[in-house]
Amino acid sequence: MAVRTLKDLLAEGVEGRGVLVRSDFNVPLDDGRITDPGRILASIPTLSRLVDAGAKVIITAHLGRPKGEPDPALSLAPVAARLAEELGRNVQLAGDVVGSDALARAEGLTDGDVLLLENIRFDPRETSKDDAERAALARDLVELVGDDGAFVSDGFGVVHRKQASVYDVAKLLPSYAGDLVATEVDVLRRITTDVEQPYAVVLGGSKVSDKLAVIEALAPKVDTLVIGGGMAFTFIKAQGSPVGDSLLQEDMIDTCKDLLDRFGDVLHLPHDIVVADAFAADAETSIAMSADGFESGMGLDIGPGSVERFSTVLRGAKTVFWNGPMGVFEFEKFATGTRGVAEAIVAATGDGAFSVVGGGDSAAAVRSFGLADDAFSHISTGGGASLEYLEGKELPGLAVLETEG
């Protein structure tokens, strides 16, 4: 099986043709202001190549989780403005998804024009579990680009979703992987099938259940698997230590015991914890040793000893994958652990390691600390998609692009 790429589409010729591009513009907003444009910036190479080749580019994307109806707070208007700035050309924003305004604007496009459809999730058919409903939306999208149109899948953050603009439309049009999707897949293959040892994985975030499958998949393959963030407290509890009012999944304690029994030689838990008396930026703090635990308060970051230990391990790695913060990095007082891990990965990268930041909160943390994107080998645009790929799951948005030969 093979996947046709943007290079193949450009070789066939796109001048004067409608090209539907599924991008990932699910960026964080603060009162309508984009706080991290990373996903928009990552889409520019594919869009620029299509525009420069004379395609009539129609982009579909989502923002947030609207409930299948228009929500002004989740309009793609801020995205259209930033996209126009980055592309250096006007980007029209349709007033609807596939309605009369979208159709009229699509019909008026000339070579090199760009049209962004309104938030695709304003249409309930996008995420419907009903195949026929999704297929109907896909047909409406195809109508916008015409009979000689093409589809470019360039939203890696959604390829694990079987949705109309990701999966169903690819069954109706000649389909290609955009530069972003192709790069993401190449990177993930490199850290699953062609890994240079020592291989270190850092997993954080709130829930063990969210990362269980990737722990099971990677623990047998890695030299070191560092556990931090809220999920660490279920492991610490599994070792018999109290964790006060910290995040805890009681129903996962036995699972964590089993993981520690099977993979204790590679799993690294925090040695010490920053304990706060409240979930607040100005909370009073103390340091507790994980082996002793703590009866009151809540752990909001890994302690200084853990930062030092984790950093030592990471700096010696040749391959690093990181997904999930070590603490509540949004509060400066509890950002030290995440910053320390990030800086250790930067140092390892400088020494020749291949490092991948697995999107989501990890990418947001990197940028909030002012660390350059190119200080890492790759910053993924798809947290959930990256994890599912590493778990060995089939991603519908990738599988549908495969062709014989």
Side-chain angles (χ1 to χ4, degrees), residues 58-63 69-80 92-99 101-102 105 115-123 141 144:
I58 300 177
I59 310 168
T60 180
H62 77 279
L63 178 61
E69 58 185 27
D71 180 350
L74 295 175
S75 169
L76 288 174
V79 172
Q92 299 182 56
L93 175 65
D96 48 29
V97 179
V98 288
D101 189 60
R105 289 176 183 271
L115 169 64
L116 175 61
L117 305 180
E118 188 51 283
N119 193 330
I120 188 71
R121 290 188 183 172
F122 285 178
D123 191 315
L141 290 169
L144 298 177

Side-chain angles (χ1 to χ4, degrees), residues 180-256:
L180 174 58
V181 163
T183 297
E184 294 272 14
V185 171
D186 285 345
V187 165
L188 291 172
R189 282 178 179 157
R190 182 168 174 179
I191 61 174
T192 52
T193 61
D194 187 23
V195 182
E196 185 177 0
Q197 309 291 135
Y199 183 11
V201 170
V202 182
L203 296 178
S206 60
K207 295 181 179 180
V208 177
S209 54
D210 290 343
K211 304 289 170 66
L212 177 60
V214 79
I215 292 173
E216 292 274 11
L218 294 181
K221 303 176 182 178
V222 304
D223 299 281
T224 301
L225 203 163
V226 169
I227 302 290
M231 63 186 287
F233 298 108
T234 304
F235 281 95
I236 293 171
K237 182 73 171 180
Q239 291 183 319
S241 301
V243 294
D245 298 319
S246 304
L247 279 173
L248 181 65
Q249 286 186 281
E250 293 276 2
D251 61 340
M252 295 296 293
I253 290 175
D254 287 342
T255 298
C256 288

Side-chain angles (χ1 to χ4, degrees), residues 321-336:
F321 173 74
W322 172 31
N323 182 283
M326 297 293 97
V328 186
F329 73 92
E330 296 88 348
F331 295 156
E332 178 59 32
K333 203 167 191 176
F334 306 106
T336 303

Side-chain angles (χ1 to χ4, degrees), residues 31 184 192 273 369:
D31 195 26
E184 294 272 14
T192 52
I273 299 295
F369 299 147

Side-chain angles (χ1 to χ4, degrees), residues 347-370:
T349 308
D351 289 337
F354 183 72
S355 61
V356 178
V357 179
D361 287 341
S362 303
V366 163
R367 291 168 181 139
S368 73
F369 299 147

Side-chain angles (χ1 to χ4, degrees), residues 150-166:
F151 172 64
V152 174
S153 177
D154 207 42
F156 182 73
V158 291
V159 294
H160 59 317
R161 305 298 188 193
K162 194 174 184 180
Q163 297 177 347
S165 68
V166 178

Side-chain angles (χ1 to χ4, degrees), residues 29-41:
L29 295 178
D30 181 8
D31 195 26
R33 182 179 64 85
I34 298 170
T35 58
D36 179 1
R39 286 174 169 162
I40 296 175
L41 300 180

